[in-house]
Amino acid sequence: MLRKAVLAAFAVGMLVHGGAAVAQAYKSEYRLSTVLNNAFPWGQAGERWANLVRERTQGRINIKQYPGASLVGGEQTREFTAIRQGVIDLAVGSTINWSPQIKQLNLFAMPFLMPDEKALDALIQGEVGKDLFKIIEKLDVVPLAWGENGFREVSNSKRAIASPADIKGLKMRVVGSPLFLDIFTALGANPTQMSWADAQTALASSAVDGQENPIAVYFASKLPGIGQKYLTLWHYINDPLIFVVNKDVWAQWTPEDREIVRQAAVQAGKENIENVRNGDAGMLKQIENAGVTVTTLTDEQRKPFIQATRAVYEKWTKNIGADLVKKAEEAVAKR
Ligand code: X2X
């Protein structure tokens, strides 16, 4: 009898209140935000996390996914604030979209900091990743695992880009962190900030000439079909994803359920990173078959882009914090 009562109390969570533990009811549904839906590795990562948690908690934690950043009306750079406020319970979010609130997350958008996947791994699996999780925790959001949106490549409707001169004058859609405005301005382009939802309309109507996104996003959004016929693989930045839970929601759950949620996030994140990295080659073939001119920059061809964005890199080293940037550079060098 007593054993039963104890188990029942744990099934609904415990809250210490005035010294006494009182049961706290779970919500019937927890809201998970992602920017992209399950046509993309990012959306699939959210779906996988939700399904694993539902199965392993026998439905105690029932997560519903809201893609398109719909809980913030598509305004993806407001997502992190909405998690803090409890409008969003869980998220698989992009470091780019959260960087207006967490300036240190701009680190991953530092031009040409990470030349390859190993460099990204050295950051997210090392000290830098731990430091960033501590910063997020201080903001009352519980970070659990890393995923990956991918290396961001550049496309446009006008011409092949092989040197900074080719990018001059192009109207480029960029995401809502001021660092992107600085990068594309330094390259002589004409950048304009908008959400991903607005970007697709702007590309289709030729209000903008180009954009930058990972291959999987370019492909699943069918950008070749709306005139984005030139794709340059320059690997200038990579956008990791972070699996998080609102702190009050986290506190509602039993330690056992928290552990289930954490392990499911780690597993979904690992699978997501594999999916993104293994998917690119097959997609590139189909992209080329669709008549897209794909330009892959050599190390030599990347150099003038690195030089042209060097002043931006230095300016943003100060904004992000010189210590963190140095730690990241050292981790990349040692990879
Ligand atoms: O808006 C974008 O470019 C996207 C979908 O990649 C992000 O949310 C960062």
Side-chain angles (χ1 to χ4, degrees), residues 31 38 41 45 80 94 110-111 118 132 153 156 174 177 192 218 221 224 240 242 251 289 299:
R31 310 208 283 183
N38 64 6
F80 191 77
S94 140
M110 285 286 262
K118 277 203 178 118
L132 292 170
E153 319 294 4
N156 80 97
V174 294
S177 164
T192 170
Y218 171 86
S221 301
I242 308 178
N289 289 344
D299 285 348

Side-chain angles (χ1 to χ4, degrees), residues 35-36 42 76 94 96-97 149 152 173 175 196 213 239:
V35 172
L36 299 176
W42 181 351
Q76 60 207 57
S94 140
I96 296 174
N97 294 331
N149 190 14
R152 297 179 77 89
R173 173 271 173 173
V175 216
W196 181 237
N213 248 298
D239 180 27

Side-chain angles (χ1 to χ4, degrees), residues 22-250:
V22 294
Q24 203 185 5
Y26 280 25
K27 292 193 204 181
S28 58
E29 179 186 294
Y30 292 94
R31 310 208 283 183
L32 164 69
S33 179
T34 55
V35 172
L36 299 176
N37 63 30
N38 64 6
F40 303 81
W42 181 351
Q44 289 156 12
E47 188 173 59
R48 179 76 171 140
W49 189 23
N51 287 340
L52 286 173
V53 169
R54 191 178 304 107
E55 278 164 29
R56 293 176 183 174
T57 62
Q58 284 90 39
R60 277 193 304 284
I61 297 178
N62 173 35
I63 299 172
K64 180 163 182 220
Q65 187 171 355
Y66 290 79
S70 59
L71 296 170
V72 282
E75 286 184 61
Q76 60 207 57
T77 51
R78 291 192 42 238
E79 190 182 55
F80 191 77
T81 305
I83 300 163
R84 295 187 72 186
Q85 292 168 336
V87 174
I88 292 170
D89 298 313
L90 307 92
V92 181
S94 140
T95 53
I96 296 174
N97 294 331
W98 297 355
S99 62
Q101 289 83 38
I102 311 168
K103 63 177 196 247
Q104 292 89 346
L105 290 183
N106 281 295
L107 179 70
F108 300 102
M110 285 286 262
F112 305 101
L113 165 66
M114 298 172 288
D116 49 34
E117 288 158 358
K118 277 203 178 118
L120 174 65
D121 290 341
L123 299 190
I124 61 177
Q125 308 303 345
E127 283 301 310
V128 168
K130 289 199 187 95
D131 288 356
L132 292 170
F133 271 18
K134 275 188 207 133
I135 292 165
I136 293 172
E137 261 160 35
K138 282 211 185 93
L139 297 170
D140 293 341
V141 172
V142 183
L144 299 176
W146 293 94
E148 186 174 330
N149 190 14
F151 273 103
R152 297 179 77 89
E153 319 294 4
V154 62
S155 76
N156 80 97
S157 59
K158 300 280 190 207
R159 54 184 172 261
I161 297 172
S163 79
D166 301 322
I167 238 180
K168 264 212 170 76
L170 291 180
K171 269 192 250 158
M172 298 295 299
R173 173 271 173 173
V174 294
V175 216
S177 164
L179 171 50
F180 288 84
L181 289 177
D182 286 352
I183 294 172
F184 283 88
T185 303
L187 292 171
N190 184 2
T192 170
Q193 289 181 340
M194 64 186 83
S195 70
W196 181 237
D198 291 344
Q200 295 173 83
T201 320
L203 290 165
S205 69
S206 302
V208 294
D209 302 317
Q211 62 85 46
E212 48 75 57
N213 248 298
I215 290 171
V217 179
Y218 171 86
F219 180 75
S221 301
K222 303 189 170 68
L223 298 194
I226 53 169
Q228 292 291 294
K229 292 291 189 195
Y230 300 94
L231 176 66
T232 291
L233 309 183
W234 64 342
H235 268 43
Y236 85 125
I237 61 171
N238 193 320
D239 180 27
L241 303 174
I242 308 178
F243 291 65
V244 300
V245 179
N246 165 284
K247 195 185 169 201
D248 295 333
V249 168
W250 186 251

